Amino acid sequence: MAEQTAPAPAAEPSKYDDYDYPTTKDTPQSGHPGHTTPEQDAMVTELRTLLEQDGYTRRLDTHTLLRFLRARKFVVENSKQMFIDCEKWRTEFKVDDLVQNFVYVEKSKVFEYYPQYYHKTDKDGRPVYIEALGNIDLPAMYKITTAERMLSNLVVEYEKLADPRLPACSRKSGQLLETCCTIMDLKGVGLSRFSSVYSYVKQASAISQNYYPERLGKLYLINAPWGFYSVWSMIKKFLDPVTVEKIHVLGYTYQADLLGQVPKENLPKEYGGECECEGGCMLSDMGPWQESEWARPPKWTQPAPEEEHKQAPTAIENVPTEVITAPAPTSGTLPTTGGEKASGDAAAIQTAPASA
């Protein structure tokens, strides 16, 4: 029997690596925490040093930097630019204030048209994210909410995926988990209206590919209509081959595939599972992040060291009073957020794990 090679010793943790959950995944994956080469460790150090020289002091932990490096194929200069662009966007979008103060009071009404929610975990222990596009009616939705608030909710859910959801799942599974399992339901999405839905998905997903890289574990596109496969051939052009391998396009007989990845007791009944949460699965937010044994207060509830003595941020207005009279955009699309071709795990098709 061939002798197995022992994994290379992990790089020394930096002062930014303040983790209270497992830091290594059981399955070896090159470039992932606990499974890096000395050359990759050196790139992490180089990237961190360059960013420190430019004055950055937050989000410089090893796990975060590795995600940006993987997203840019371990080209340090490209990863640095991606990180800088992300930090600029976070400041302009006021992400740190948003995650603490935004309340999506109209969520239940918006979900009547566009459900987007996390619900329990798959067989690998990752959060399951479910999104249904078939009832999207942007003019009707814009009478309930605004494009800006929809994007704000998207961002908040991404932040909550990073903390507390993934850390809680990592604690429960006993290994590092950095991605989620996404189920995107295309039932009712006909070709006649797909152009507006696709535009929405593509524009919203720019946030994912540019600012939350390497968050897609698996993506199941279910109830795909007969014409979707030709559309999928176009969508694939925007995606990295690594991402394409994670995507499974399924028709109307998808249940066996889903149950192969998601335990029956965790999958909502409408998708072939057995779960029927009180009040509905889509509004329950059930998962390890709600279980006292695994949940911890997210770190974004704690002030950053340089902000500890600053005045608390002003609360963000939570009631969309202006939307009653606001006209719906004639194009049926959200504002363009830009973005280049998805690299690594950009998941350009995914609007959120809101949340890839």
Side-chain angles (χ1 to χ4, degrees), residues 165-190:
R165 290 187 178 108
L166 285 170
C169 290
S170 297
R171 295 184 196 105
K172 185 170 185 177
S173 67
Q175 63 170 322
L176 175 65
L177 297 171
E178 298 185 286
T179 62
C180 60
C181 174
T182 295
I183 301 169
M184 187 173 288
D185 185 2
L186 302 179
K187 184 178 181 180
V189 181

Side-chain angles (χ1 to χ4, degrees), residues 12 26 47 61 97 114 174 182 203 213 224 246 262 279 319 327 337 350:
E12 290 296 321
D26 289 349
L47 176 57
D61 63 284
D97 289 351
Y114 190 15
T182 295
Q203 292 180 58
K246 302 176 182 180
V262 183
V319 182
T337 53
Q350 185 182 7

